Amino acid sequence: MSATNILRHAWRHLLRKPGNLVLAFWYLFILFFFQLFAMRGLGSGFQHWLKALNPSKMSMTNLPPLPHGVALKLALTYLTMILIVFPFVIGALYGGVADSLKTANNQVGLFAFFRYGARLFWESIGLFVGIVLGTTIMLVVGIAINLLFTLLGGHSSVLSVITSVVAAIITLTIMFLWFAVVLFWLGAVYFGGQRIWASFTEALGWVWHHKAESLRLLLLTAVIVLVATIFFSLFSLVPIIGQFFAIMLYAGVLTLIAIEANIFYREATRHDIPPVYRI
């Protein structure tokens, strides 16, 4: 199946089972209310600190000091979000989408969302921590590559431009391949029911042996995300109605990527057809 066909199948599945979109709304709903309650729990001191921030003049030297005790609360809030809330909602969204692909049932209510999240919680924690660590490593590698090519560029302006372009291409290629691994990994855990480490090595091996196909899929996905971001920004400028459409678009992209990850794994591991993907 081609990269375009994977996205086409994901889009058709979304239209055939629009209930998956509701899962994305629950995802956004829970994240929004957690942040709202966290903001209130941090107290008025944190809110005054946010108002004192000036993005146009922001730097590490002129940041206003956090009120006493807020720094610890803020650290615990973000830790809770990273280790509990994000894994829970990701497991609920991807688990629900995988279930709708495998069965005729499409449970999208809040109780079903919590059931998926609770059932897949520990797998989601392992996945999320692995994705964060892997992304951090890839970013460090990208920074190292850029520094190396900057040194190679020397003081020559022409050579510096060439090395900068080459470094950017290599960095983007590495990041796209890593995100292809992440997509396959998500599908392997939620759709395939594989263990965290076994599914990671499987994802790494598949993407390594199918680099061109993986890059095509990620390039198309990046184009979709870029276009959606532009429209999201435009819709957000329109009060009420525009913001509603922006949320709809955001939820749609989240759902499409969740479906895509599961279909990607399903088609890559099929044994009745060669696992070759062309645009």
Side-chain angles (χ1 to χ4, degrees), residues 240-263:
I240 303 175
I241 296 177
Q243 292 173 0
F244 172 76
F245 280 112
I247 294 172
M248 287 279 292
L249 180 62
Y250 191 18
V253 172
L254 285 174
T255 310
L256 192 68
I257 292 175
I259 299 171
E260 176 192 345
N262 289 294
I263 292 179

Side-chain angles (χ1 to χ4, degrees), residues 1 5-24 90 93-102 106 183-184 186-188 190-191 217 221 251-267:
M1 179 177 287
N5 279 338
I6 289 177
L7 290 169
R8 190 180 298 117
H9 274 248
W11 175 248
R12 287 176 180 173
H13 182 78
L14 178 59
L15 293 178
R16 193 164 55 245
K17 292 187 176 181
N20 287 315
L21 196 61
V22 180
L23 292 172
I90 288 173
L93 175 60
Y94 281 78
V97 166
D99 195 44
S100 74
L101 279 166
K102 290 187 287 188
N106 191 21
L183 271 184
F184 192 104
L186 289 166
Y190 294 116
F191 186 86
L217 182 60
T221 306
V253 172
L254 285 174
T255 310
L256 192 68
I257 292 175
I259 299 171
E260 176 192 345
N262 289 294
I263 292 179
F264 180 30
Y265 173 77
R266 185 187 70 183
E267 297 303 317

Side-chain angles (χ1 to χ4, degrees), residues 26-37:
W26 291 128
Y27 174 102
L28 295 173
F29 178 83
I30 290 174
L31 285 181
F32 171 77
F33 273 94
F34 174 80
Q35 292 177 74
L36 180 64
F37 287 125

Side-chain angles (χ1 to χ4, degrees), residues 22-269:
V22 180
L23 292 172
F25 278 115
W26 291 128
Y27 174 102
L28 295 173
F29 178 83
I30 290 174
L31 285 181
F32 171 77
F33 273 94
F34 174 80
Q35 292 177 74
L36 180 64
F37 287 125
M39 287 276 291
R40 291 186 175 181
L42 290 172
S44 59
F46 179 70
Q47 297 174 20
H48 291 312
W49 180 79
L50 283 179
K51 292 178 181 178
L53 289 176
N54 188 349
S56 61
K57 299 179 179 179
M58 190 180 297
S59 68
M60 294 303 295
T61 57
N62 62 0
L63 278 176
L66 278 168
H68 179 69
V70 171
L72 179 60
K73 292 181 181 178
L74 190 62
L76 291 175
T77 299
Y78 275 101
L79 197 61
T80 302
M81 195 166 193
I82 291 172
L83 295 180
I84 297 178
V85 181
F86 266 131
F88 182 87
V89 295
I90 288 173
L93 175 60
Y94 281 78
V97 166
D99 195 44
S100 74
L101 279 166
K102 290 187 287 188
T103 65
N105 298 324
N106 191 21
Q107 302 178 24
V108 296
L110 184 58
F111 289 112
F113 185 88
F114 273 88
R115 186 165 60 251
Y116 285 125
R119 190 180 70 193
L120 298 165
F121 181 70
W122 294 109
E123 290 88 347
S124 300
I125 285 182
L127 262 173
F128 192 74
V129 171
I131 291 170
V132 170
L133 289 175
T135 304
T136 303
I137 292 171
M138 292 300 108
L139 288 173
V140 170
V141 170
I143 292 171
I145 290 172
N146 279 273
L147 288 175
L148 176 62
F149 276 87
T150 300
L151 293 174
L152 290 175
H155 300 289
S156 173
S157 58
V158 176
L159 187 59
S160 178
V161 171
I162 294 174
T163 54
S164 297
V165 171
V166 172
I169 292 172
I170 294 174
T171 303
L172 285 174
T173 301
I174 291 173
M175 293 306 298
F176 278 3
L177 288 174
W178 166 245
F179 289 133
V181 171
V182 169
L183 271 184
F184 192 104
W185 196 8
L186 289 166
V189 171
Y190 294 116
F191 186 86
Q194 304 291 330
R195 293 183 178 274
I196 300 296
W197 178 247
S199 58
F200 173 70
T201 54
E202 183 183 7
L204 202 60
W206 197 95
V207 171
W208 178 256
H209 290 100
H210 301 85
K211 301 181 197 63
E213 295 86 350
S214 302
L215 283 174
R216 291 187 189 108
L217 182 60
L218 261 293
L219 281 171
L220 289 175
T221 306
V223 169
I224 291 173
V225 172
L226 180 61
V227 172
T229 302
I230 294 171
F231 278 100
F232 179 81
S233 302
L234 294 175
F235 285 144
S236 299
L237 298 176
V238 182
I240 303 175
I241 296 177
Q243 292 173 0
F244 172 76
F245 280 112
I247 294 172
M248 287 279 292
L249 180 62
Y250 191 18
V253 172
L254 285 174
T255 310
L256 192 68
I257 292 175
I259 299 171
E260 176 192 345
N262 289 294
I263 292 179
F264 180 30
Y265 173 77
R266 185 187 70 183
E267 297 303 317
T269 55

